[in-house]
Amino acid sequence: MTLRECYDLIGDYDQVATRLPSASLIERFLLKFPDDATYNTLVAAMEAGNREEAFRGAHTLKGVCGNLSLTMLLTPVAALTEVLRNAGDAIPAEAEELYARVKEAYALTNDAIATFKATKA
């Protein structure tokens, strides 16, 4: 699998190429994505019912996905961020469905990255 083929599954290669000047730099940051702790922060906060921390985790993950043009994950995490933004103290019920979409997109994104990484070995 090439880097572009990986991006065809999870994002927008042409868009990330406008931010990061070389394929090697894109690859380096993409391969670091699964090790980023932001998603784990979001998961822990959602499971604990901590809306404020969940918002921070979702917002940070949204930024990472935006910078890497991981659009498959960016779309649901951006929606989750907005639902959590001004929701008061509790996590609203509508956030649960969006969170499920985030988890699914995150798994698919990581699977594609793992497949790409395996072809590099």
Side-chain angles (χ1 to χ4, degrees):
M1 171 186 286
T2 67
L3 182 59
R4 186 174 283 276
E5 289 169 336
C6 181
Y7 262 90
D8 285 345
L9 297 173
I10 61 175
D12 187 332
Y13 182 83
D14 292 330
Q15 188 178 60
V16 74
T18 65
R19 275 190 291 290
L20 299 174
S22 69
S24 63
L25 195 57
I26 295 167
E27 180 180 319
R28 186 169 68 178
F29 282 108
L30 182 67
L31 291 176
K32 288 182 178 187
F33 178 78
D35 298 325
D36 184 90
T38 305
Y39 177 76
N40 295 330
T41 300
L42 171 62
V43 169
M46 288 295 291
E47 289 177 5
N50 185 332
R51 190 221 39 98
E52 190 173 320
E53 279 299 309
F55 168 74
R56 274 195 212 102
H59 190 268
T60 303
L61 185 58
K62 179 180 119 178
V64 172
C65 291
N67 287 332
L68 290 174
S69 298
L70 301 176
T71 53
M72 180 175 63
L73 179 53
L74 177 61
T75 300
V77 82
L80 178 61
T81 300
E82 292 312 309
V83 166
L84 293 171
R85 183 177 301 277
N86 297 310
D89 291 334
I91 294 177
E94 64 189 300
E96 294 300 328
E97 180 184 333
L98 291 169
Y99 176 55
R101 285 196 238 154
V102 167
K103 290 193 302 187
E104 179 181 350
Y106 184 82
L108 292 171
T109 298
N110 275 338
D111 288 348
I113 293 169
T115 300
F116 170 67
K117 185 176 182 178
T119 64
K120 304 282 303 159

